[in-house]
Amino acid sequence: MSKTESAPALDFVRSIVEEDIRTGKYGGRVHTRFPPEPNGYLHIGHAKAFGLNFSIAEEYGGLCNLRFDDTNPAAEETEYVDAIMEDVRWLGFDWGDRLFHASDYFDQLHDYAIELIRMGKAYVCDLSAEEIREYRGTLTEPGRNSPDRDRTVEENLDLFARMRAGEFPDGARTLRAKIDMASPNINMRDPVIYRILHASHHRTGDKWCIYPMYDFTHGLSDSIEGVTHSNCSIEFEDHRPLYDWFLDELDVYHPRQIEFARLNLTRTVLSKRRLLRIVEGGHVNGWDDARMPTLAGMRRRGYTPAAIRTFLKRVGVAKTDSTIDIALLEHCVREDLNRTAPRVMAVLNPLRVVIENYPEDLVEEFEAVNNPEDPTAGSRRVPFSRVIYVEREDFREDPPKKFFRLAPGREVRLKHAYLVTCESVVRDEGTGEVVELRCSYDPESRGGKAPDGRRVRGTLHWVSAAHALEAEVRLIDYLLREAGPGDEGADFEDLLNPNSLEVLTSCRVEPGLADAPPGARFQFLRQGYFCVDSVDSKPGSLVFNRTVSQRDTWAKIEKSQGA
RNA sequence: UGGGGCGUCGUCUAGUGGCAAGACACGGGACUUUGGAUCCCGCAUCGGAGGUUCGAAUCCUCCCGCCCCAGCCA
């Protein structure tokens, strides 16, 4: 632990945890929890939250529970429960045998509610939802007491029992905490703690027709589980007095709630409401669409758990409202994939090239290194023949300055193979479009080395026409056209990028990819990182997703030339 | 106009009275059989104004800006 090892600075949450360990506040224990409501898919923003909770537990020899906050049967489904567990595990976290549900505590929570009633700290209220809102007051005016606020304990007990017994319809009555209708903190103005909901719960079925509210449930669940640090997002800061109130009034074990800022990303939608709109509006093909910021989407797109965890670490944890540049996430993905992804050649927009002086029936195989960053990755053999495909954008009839690729009379290197020179072009007679290049090769340049040491700046990827496999490649762009998350409003659809997905259908990839398994990740040389789509790719009809493009210096040069 | 919170490079994040640190982005250069990777160099006086102090991003005062809260959602 020497200072010279430059231990990374602690974020404020970890500082609090360390301080509590030092002072023995919880007997030196560290126990966190991740409490998602199973009403949707987890996205990268949730990953910040559970990454923090699980990581802190790991780092301090503590435990982290997975607890489903399932107190609203109207919104929750088992499908989401399963998806959430899969996503948390995918990122490499483990809750051991501590899988819990707020609904596990419904009996105990009910007992706590009765205790509050007995103490005169809770009452049954007959006000309608609208009346409760009216009585609550506003941000600047205090609220008024409910006419039912002074019911006797006996009457409250009786009414609450009848609520539970199903005597009243939804919305007829609520159980409220008796706190302070004049509190400047609106959350303290006699919040509802139980509501009547004749709805079947995905775990408890029809056992209950009254369900506890979040504020009442959350702290008590933390307390029951022996949580020490209850980390949540910053909009709950106003709720902390209420969190503390229940624990204090009931005089039970008292965890500490700590709030941190949520994650925002440029060009990315991270609100559940909007994500739902994108899915239901048919703007994407489901929650696991590769364009989605859900973990399921990122997984399908080819992002790695390691890259996401590195990203989360670099983003840090603070209370400042911030928006992370999506470029940081992409950097982390490239950094990981550069180390681990095997290189392969694939031509996205094929342009046919005939090497006129290359023998008609000859097929050579060239040794190609799989990953120059990783000597243990080995090599493979790639077939070469007289007719090949190169990338259409690697040829220009009128090459601009600094364009080091193919052009009439220009010589380039075909990666791993030969030096070739463009001798002439073949056009479509109707459109005039260039449909084929006629080239010559230097037989002395086998392997790509110029025999006389002449300098050849451009190196192109290619595939042998007779051997290449046809494939579909999906190019993924941001869901939002603007840099920021955009304004709230009905015109949200206008903020969507209409070109977030570009599908290329006649791509050609090297033959070795024939049996690449679903999810396999590759670097398509000079282009970026791609993975085999885990849903739509089939042997014989390969589908790849572009995970992230490679940095493209030429694009920058070209742009600055144009400007 | 009530309450709570937050303001440090373009974007994040450290720093908590003694030379403003790191990452991404951006710009420049080196190297290169991926215009990839890698390597070098450059890039902020800390929301504003006063004050305290030998010394302030750090302490005090006032001001300004942004975010959250009026669900029987979480």
Side-chain angles (χ1 to χ4, degrees), chain A residues 46-68:
Chain A
H46 295 107
K48 175 179 180 180
F50 70 77
L52 177 74
N53 280 303
F54 280 100
S55 299
I56 284 179
E58 258 170 41
E59 290 160 23
Y60 297 102
L63 299 169
C64 180
N65 300 349
L66 174 62
R67 180 174 76 230
F68 287 100

Side-chain angles (χ1 to χ4, degrees), chain A residues 290 298-304 330 333-334 337 473-477 519-522 528-532 544-550:
Chain A
M298 291 184 167
R299 176 166 57 235
R300 185 163 172 195
R301 179 170 179 165
Y303 283 18
T304 62
E330 293 173 349
V333 173
R334 287 192 190 101
L337 259 16
V473 174
R474 299 173 180 173
L475 304 182
I476 294 146
D477 200 352
R521 303 178 180 95
F522 300 93
Y529 299 94
F530 296 73
C531 74
V532 178
F544 291 90
N545 298 317
R546 183 166 70 189
T547 307
V548 63
S549 65
Q550 231 157 23

Side-chain angles (χ1 to χ4, degrees), chain A residues 109-110 112-118 121-127 132 156-157 159-161 163 172-178 190-196 210-213 216 246:
Chain A
L109 260 10
H110 178 73
Y112 280 137
I114 288 173
E115 200 178 327
L116 282 180
I117 294 173
R118 290 215 166 96
K121 296 290 185 179
Y123 62 96
V124 172
C125 178
D126 299 352
L127 256 25
I132 285 185
N156 282 319
L157 252 14
L159 253 13
F160 188 51
M163 279 170 64
R173 296 182 214 263
T174 56
L175 183 70
R176 296 228 254 161
K178 192 189 285 188
D190 289 10
V192 171
I193 60 182
Y194 264 92
R195 77 281 216 185
I196 299 170
I210 55 172
Y211 291 92
M213 299 286 289
F216 180 68
F246 290 118

Side-chain angles (χ1 to χ4, degrees), chain A residues 34 41-48 50-51 54 58 66 81-95 287-290 292-312 329 333 336-337 518-521 531 534 547:
Chain A
F34 173 55
Y41 282 72
L42 258 26
H43 57 59
I44 183 77
H46 295 107
K48 175 179 180 180
F50 70 77
F54 280 100
E58 258 170 41
L66 174 62
V81 171
D82 298 335
I84 288 169
M85 291 196 287
E86 182 184 359
D87 290 342
V88 174
R89 280 202 200 93
W90 178 62
L91 232 45
F93 297 109
D94 182 14
W95 53 89
W287 289 98
D288 68 341
D289 187 291
M292 290 286 278
T294 52
L295 294 174
M298 291 184 167
R299 176 166 57 235
R300 185 163 172 195
R301 179 170 179 165
Y303 283 18
T304 62
I308 293 173
R309 289 181 66 151
T310 300
F311 168 72
L312 262 11
L329 211 208
V333 173
D336 186 32
L337 259 16
R521 303 178 180 95
C531 74
S534 53
T547 307

Side-chain angles (χ1 to χ4, degrees), chain A residues 392-442:
Chain A
R392 194 148 210 119
E393 66 173 33
D394 282 341
F395 171 79
R396 290 283 184 87
E397 277 198 278
D398 272 317
K401 262 195 162 57
K402 293 188 180 171
F403 184 83
F404 303 137
R405 309 176 186 184
L406 269 180
R410 288 277 187 90
E411 183 175 45
V412 298
R413 173 167 30 246
L414 297 176
K415 179 77 178 176
H416 306 303
Y418 288 108
L419 263 26
V420 297
T421 301
C422 177
E423 305 294 352
S424 61
V425 304
V426 178
R427 294 167 196 286
D428 178 281
E429 285 179 14
T431 65
E433 182 198 15
V434 174
V435 293
E436 181 179 299
L437 265 28
R438 312 292 292 192
C439 292
S440 62
Y441 84 115
D442 178 352

